[in-house]
Amino acid sequence: MVLSKIASQSDVSVHSTFASRYVRESLPRYKMPENSIPKEAAFQIINDELMLDGKPRLNLASFVTTWMEPECDKLIMDSINKNYVDMDEYPVTTELQNRCVNIIAHLFNAPLGESEAAVGVGTVGSSEAIMLAGLAFKRKWQNKRKAEGKPHDKPNIVTGANVQVCWEKFARYFEVELKEVKLSEDYYVMDPVKAVEMVDENTICVAAILGSTLNGEFEDVKLLNDLLVEKNKITGWDTPIHVDAASGGFIAPFLWPELEWDFRLPLVKSINVSGHKYGLVYAGVGWVIWRSKEDLPEELIFHINYLGTDQPTFTLNFSKGSSQIIAQYYQLIRLGYEGYRNVMENCHENAMMLKEGLEKTGRFKIVSKDIGVPVVAFSLKNKSWGHDEFEIAETLRRFGWIVPAYTMPADAKHITVLRVVIREDFSRTLAERLVHDITRVLHELDSLPAKLSSAKISVKQEENGKINGTVEGKNGTTVVVKKTATETQREITIYWKNFVTAKKSSRNKIC
Amino acid sequence: MALSKTALDTDVSVHSTFASRYVRASLPRFRMPENSIPKEAAYQIINDELMLDGNPRLNLASFVTTWMEPECDKLIMASVNKNYVDMDEYPVTTELQNRCVNMIAHLFNAPLGESETAVGVGTVGSSEAIMLAGLAFKRKWQNRRKAEGKPSDQPNIVTGANVQVCWEKFARYFEVELKEVKLREGYYVMDPEKAVEMMSKLLNDLLTEKNRETGWDTPIHVDAASGGFIAPFLYPDLEWDFRLPLVKSINVSGHKYGLVYAGIGWVIWRSKEDLPEELIFHINYLGADQPTFTLNFSKGSSQVIAQYYQLIRLGYEGYKNVMENCRDNMLVLKEGLELTGRFDIISKDSGVPLVAFSLKNNSTHNEFEVSDMLRRFGWIVPAYTMPPDAQHITVLRVVIREDFSRTLAERLVNDIQKVMHELENLPCKVCARILISGDGDKEQHGAVVVKKTALETQREITTIWRKFVMEKKKMNGVC
């Protein structure tokens, strides 16, 4: 006899995710929960929280690729469980990396014979690539000094003050002194003349940037090379050059192939490029190429017995995913010269279009150059408008755009710029929409009073309950205002009331 | 009037991929091709070449995770275009990383107050984690020595000889001397991964004594790359983590028993004091201040999100279940191998779930041959010799990961038996090998050195292979 069962509590798997108890509970944030939860609940909870992140494709702050073709996404997902370092288990993936290294080396005109293999490696990004290149220079220099019987405990590296933070990291972590050539107003890259002046016997290399982060400009590597050749002739120090082509390495060869910046210049011994910038791959891949075997000291290369076979390795990271390497190879063969050139030309066109749109508003001064990485860096013409670039950036966020504002490094710290990076997936339509939204933002800010908060206010509480505030006006004048707590509160309330009223009147009546 | 058009050449997009010319042309391997090719062709070409890679899930050599739930795959794909370092743009992702750091810190019993945040960071793997931890120690030690007015130019680090290569890398790249404690036969632990947690308490006690005498205050770092996500669940009473006062930092691989795909590690410091402030960069990145202490900068966000998924999806209960399953399957495999009567099991039952075994009798065939033949079945089981001081031992090693089910364990035993059977029918390959190596005075396992001419050697090899093929043909009737 079959007894029918009546379930007194419905099976939890019957409930849809949002009907289950899992979305009612607060997940522990700092300790692991005791129990497991269903995978659907875990997925939903995380997915929903992540909705509040910015949208990668509207993140105009970053050079890093945010879109790839679905076919490539498929390859990425298929190889997500391949540990790249298992070279013996995944020989094809390893070979794809080698092909990429060779392709990029040839792109940079490395002086290789017909069947000579290039010297280079795939990394997680330009940070790792730069550290490896720097390590190679440091070790070579130390060996040379030891052979000469000279002190080798104070290596230094000469760069511009516009370098990306990873050079400072390299300097600090690997105990190399960083000698920075200061910028000046309207000259936002490293001056080759000043750089060569700073070179001394302890300099392990001079680092030039092809595609400055701040305004996309290319540094004059050829001039640097020529000046340094002269100096080397006099001093006999043999100081080499490294080119940080993180952004520019995948642009210059396609848009300006006659520009000499790479291995065509004899003093350039290594170059790094980010695959995940204009290499058009998602975040997580960079490349460093050395001119020849002599430029990479053998003692830095590890030969390990990994899982049974000998494997030479020179990277900081070990285990990592294979997806980005495969994606880079996909892009190189899918696009070819023709494709990369088309993409870069499109980016350049759209950058020009954005630049013109901004110039037409009449409010902005364009700080970026036409030749370089496709970015548009701009700052306000009228400094006493009452609002600054940071406010524009904040207000643009409401529309969904992420456009960063930042101050230049020393010695141009008083300059603030907004910067828009034109990536592959920033179409003309989006560029037009951005100009439109920026115009709207300008109008909105026009109707607002000059904010107290944009000037510098410091508030101190005195013992008798009075609050002293100092307001620094736009022209550096300082007014000390003594107020009570209540007065300050009242002032803030009035300010906000005005703000809200202004907003309501400029928008539609429906709330 | 509409004119109809006759296409003289069929539009290339009409052709299916394998009908198009793209699969006929040889792709340049060392130079970029001049022209673009259609995306379907690019996909197909690469996909097809990659078929010749090993199957990740049958790669029994590696600890690194090779399977995750489809829901997690979905989260991974959705965040593949998020650059993790854009903390200002992706605040939720940044917060997920912080939550992971705190959860793992608590898992390791970091002495944190109720609302105190943990000190730690997500990295690309244990290599980066170890370098960061090592850097922190080096800088702290240098600062102390400078304050004492003593020389600070010859730092060293003491480890076992069986450490993973990233310690050697750290030593070489950051100019720290590596002082390795050699292994001793009979005392060595077969696998570096296993040793760590067992050793910690003993080490802590001994070092406390020495510190008392010398006043040097030498700290301990625990490389818990594999064990960090096992010990808390299988051996919660084992004291190896921050419960020991001298342990100042711990690294663990999220992509091993943290159960996430390759590309994520974690390093946790005991407290703020153990991470010198001068190593932390405060950068004006895209407009906001961000403290950062990593070697890598831009990288994908997917693995961090996947790690958080696993931590909340599984919880203590889930991780414990997975580790217990791994341990049980390890025992199944171990017993299966013992039952064949051919193998000595070298690994211990406790610790990281793996089985290391060697042939009882390796005079006629050795472990490398077993490994090679297993590849034919699709299995990747590595054979390797032990590090210095125990170099005459060769082992085969199988790592039991989450996705190595009992069914697979039974099938593996079965295939190993087939391999042993096949090898038995083959003549001794060792003799042929001695001659080929040309090293006249080598004596292996009592075999007699016989000098042969090249022709004789060739003939012998051909005979072996013919026999081999005949054996195979006998097995199935159809060729």
Side-chain angles (χ1 to χ4, degrees), chain A residues 238-312:
Chain A
D238 231 357
T239 316
I241 296 176
H242 173 89
V243 181
D244 175 1
S247 320
F250 269 105
I251 299 178
F254 305 108
L255 290 185
W256 299 287
E258 347 66 45
L259 181 71
E260 282 184 28
W261 63 274
D262 52 15
F263 291 120
R264 283 169 284 179
L265 302 170
L267 285 183
V268 172
K269 304 299 184 191
S270 51
I271 302 176
N272 69 282
V273 67
S274 285
H276 54 225
K277 290 176 186 159
Y278 291 94
L280 305 178
V281 181
Y282 294 129
V285 64
W287 304 95
V288 55
I289 314 282
W290 282 273
R291 189 187 194 88
S292 66
K293 283 211 308 275
E294 286 74 48
D295 299 296
L296 178 54
E298 177 67 29
E299 70 238 44
L300 289 176
I301 302 177
F302 274 83
H303 292 266
I304 54 174
N305 173 0
Y306 185 68
L307 303 178
T309 50
D310 170 66
Q311 279 158 18

Side-chain angles (χ1 to χ4, degrees), chain A residues 201-469:
Chain A
E201 57 175 341
N202 289 320
T203 304
I204 64 175
C205 79
V206 180
I209 302 183
L210 196 77
S212 167
T213 320
L214 303 173
N215 63 351
E217 204 176 324
F218 290 163
E219 287 178 354
D220 194 342
V221 189
K222 184 157 191 352
L223 180 56
L224 177 66
N225 180 82
D226 295 341
L227 292 172
L228 199 50
V229 164
E230 279 312 305
K231 182 155 183 171
N232 280 345
K233 248 182 243 170
I234 303 173
T235 60
W237 289 337
D238 231 357
T239 316
I241 296 176
H242 173 89
V243 181
D244 175 1
S247 320
F250 269 105
I251 299 178
F254 305 108
L255 290 185
W256 299 287
E258 347 66 45
L259 181 71
E260 282 184 28
W261 63 274
D262 52 15
F263 291 120
R264 283 169 284 179
L265 302 170
L267 285 183
V268 172
K269 304 299 184 191
S270 51
I271 302 176
N272 69 282
V273 67
S274 285
H276 54 225
K277 290 176 186 159
Y278 291 94
L280 305 178
V281 181
Y282 294 129
V285 64
W287 304 95
V288 55
I289 314 282
W290 282 273
R291 189 187 194 88
S292 66
K293 283 211 308 275
E294 286 74 48
D295 299 296
L296 178 54
E298 177 67 29
E299 70 238 44
L300 289 176
I301 302 177
F302 274 83
H303 292 266
I304 54 174
N305 173 0
Y306 185 68
L307 303 178
T309 50
D310 170 66
Q311 279 158 18
T313 144
F314 181 45
T315 53
L316 296 180
N317 299 294
F318 201 62
S319 292
K320 62 190 182 199
S322 314
S323 297
Q324 282 90 347
I325 306 272
I326 292 171
Q328 177 77 82
Y329 185 67
Y330 175 93
Q331 291 289 55
L332 291 172
I333 68 166
R334 154 60 170 138
L335 294 170
Y337 258 101
E338 174 192 8
Y340 269 97
R341 197 171 40 235
N342 288 340
V343 168
M344 299 311 153
E345 279 172 359
N346 284 350
C347 289
H348 186 72
E349 285 292 311
N350 288 332
M352 294 300 106
M353 201 245 107
L354 178 64
K355 185 185 101 162
E356 278 153 29
L358 289 172
E359 279 174 331
K360 273 211 202 87
T361 66
R363 311 271 212 134
F364 296 110
K365 177 180 150 183
I366 307 294
V367 169
S368 47
K369 307 272 184 292
D370 283 358
I371 295 198
V373 176
V375 300
V376 182
F378 52 104
S379 53
L380 287 163
K381 277 188 185 169
N382 180 4
K383 300 282 176 222
S384 44
W385 177 37
H387 304 279
D388 65 12
E389 287 84 353
F390 290 97
E391 282 180 72
I392 296 183
E394 270 169 44
T395 318
L396 267 176
R397 283 246 193 179
R398 266 183 23 230
F399 293 84
W401 300 107
I402 300 174
V403 177
Y406 53 88
T407 48
M408 297 298 246
D411 280 332
K413 278 206 162 100
H414 53 288
I415 308 281
T416 311
V417 291
L418 288 150
R419 184 192 75 183
V420 171
V421 175
I422 313 294
R423 290 192 299 273
E424 173 192 19
D425 58 346
F426 187 73
S427 62
R428 184 175 174 129
T429 321
L430 288 179
E432 290 173 347
R433 189 164 268 282
L434 177 61
V435 174
H436 183 238
D437 288 347
I438 288 179
T439 318
R440 276 173 73 176
V441 165
L442 289 173
H443 284 153
E444 265 194 45
L445 289 177
D446 274 340
S447 59
L448 286 183
K451 274 170 79 171
L452 281 174
S453 56
S454 66
K456 295 200 194 69
I457 301 183
S458 53
V459 176
K460 259 187 343 199
Q461 170 118 36
E462 313 251 90
E463 299 98 55
N464 56 3
K466 275 188 176 281
I467 296 181
N468 286 340

Side-chain angles (χ1 to χ4, degrees), chain A residues 29 33-34 36-37 49 53-54 82 88 92-93 99 169 172 299 315 334-335 337-338 397, chain B residues 29 33-34 36-37 49 53-54 82 88-89 92-93 99 169 172 278 294 313-314 316-317 375:
Chain A
R29 279 142 206 278
E34 258 314 309
S36 309
I37 62 176
E49 270 214 271
D53 264 345
K82 275 192 198 170
D88 196 46
V92 178
T93 304
R99 288 185 206 169
K169 273 189 187 181
R172 205 181 293 185
E299 70 238 44
T315 53
R334 154 60 170 138
L335 294 170
Y337 258 101
E338 174 192 8
R397 283 246 193 179
Chain B
R29 278 141 205 279
E34 253 317 306
S36 310
I37 63 177
E49 270 214 270
D53 264 347
K82 276 192 196 171
D88 197 46
E89 285 70 11
V92 178
T93 304
R99 288 185 206 169
K169 276 191 187 181
R172 205 182 291 185
E278 68 238 45
T294 52
R313 152 64 169 138
L314 295 170
Y316 258 101
E317 175 192 7
R375 285 247 191 174

Side-chain angles (χ1 to χ4, degrees), chain B residues 195-464:
Chain B
V196 179
E197 298 77 40
M198 314 298 168
M199 293 309 191
S200 286
K201 178 143 193 16
L202 179 58
L203 184 60
N204 183 80
D205 296 344
L206 292 172
L207 198 50
T208 312
E209 274 313 302
K210 180 148 187 179
N211 280 346
R212 224 173 278 164
E213 290 163 29
T214 59
W216 289 335
D217 232 357
T218 316
I220 296 177
H221 172 89
V222 182
D223 176 2
S226 312
F229 269 105
I230 300 180
F233 305 108
L234 290 186
Y235 315 107
D237 300 320
L238 180 68
E239 282 188 24
W240 64 275
D241 52 15
F242 290 119
R243 281 168 286 180
L244 303 171
L246 285 183
V247 172
K248 305 297 185 192
S249 50
I250 303 176
N251 69 282
V252 66
S253 285
H255 54 224
K256 289 178 186 161
Y257 290 96
L259 304 179
V260 182
Y261 294 128
I264 177 111
W266 303 94
V267 56
I268 314 284
W269 282 274
R270 190 187 194 87
S271 66
K272 284 215 301 281
E273 285 74 49
D274 299 296
L275 179 53
E277 176 68 30
E278 68 238 45
L279 289 175
I280 302 177
F281 274 85
H282 292 267
I283 53 174
N284 172 1
Y285 186 66
L286 304 179
D289 171 64
Q290 281 154 17
T292 143
F293 180 46
T294 52
L295 296 180
N296 297 294
F297 199 62
S298 292
K299 61 190 182 201
S301 314
S302 299
Q303 281 88 349
V304 172
I305 292 172
Q307 178 76 83
Y308 184 67
Y309 174 93
Q310 292 291 52
L311 289 172
I312 68 165
R313 152 64 169 138
L314 295 170
Y316 258 101
E317 175 192 7
Y319 270 97
K320 189 147 156 283
N321 289 340
V322 167
M323 299 311 155
E324 281 173 354
N325 284 351
C326 287
R327 190 179 49 187
D328 288 348
N329 288 331
M330 172 196 78
L331 293 171
V332 164
L333 179 62
K334 183 184 108 161
E335 280 154 22
L337 290 171
E338 278 174 334
L339 274 168
T340 66
R342 316 273 204 134
F343 299 105
D344 285 324
I345 307 293
I346 317 272
S347 52
K348 309 261 183 302
D349 282 356
S350 55
V352 172
L354 57 84
V355 183
F357 51 105
S358 54
L359 287 164
K360 280 189 178 163
N361 173 12
N362 60 358
S363 53
T364 46
H365 300 282
N366 62 25
E367 288 82 355
F368 289 98
E369 287 178 65
V370 175
S371 169
D372 282 345
M373 297 202 81
L374 270 175
R375 285 247 191 174
R376 267 182 23 233
F377 292 83
W379 300 106
I380 300 175
V381 177
Y384 55 92
T385 49
M386 291 305 287
D389 279 5
Q391 243 159 349
H392 52 285
I393 311 273
T394 312
V395 292
L396 290 150
R397 186 186 79 174
V398 172
V399 174
I400 312 295
R401 289 192 301 272
E402 174 193 18
D403 58 346
F404 187 73
S405 63
R406 185 176 172 130
T407 321
L408 288 179
E410 289 171 351
R411 188 164 269 282
L412 176 60
V413 172
N414 195 30
D415 288 345
I416 288 179
Q417 279 174 315
K418 279 197 205 144
V419 163
M420 294 313 297
H421 195 66
E422 271 192 43
L423 282 177
E424 262 171 14
N425 294 332
L426 286 181
C428 165
K429 270 206 188 151
V430 169
C431 308
R433 202 170 282 140
I434 293 178
L435 309 170
I436 293 165
S437 73
D439 218 353
D441 41 304
K442 237 201 257 177
E443 211 181 277
Q444 268 185 323
H445 308 289
V448 173
V449 175
V450 179
K451 289 199 207 294
K452 291 193 179 167
T453 64
L455 196 55
E456 283 182 325
T457 312
Q458 243 180 8
R459 209 175 287 151
E460 187 161 271
I461 292 172
T462 323
T463 316
I464 291 175

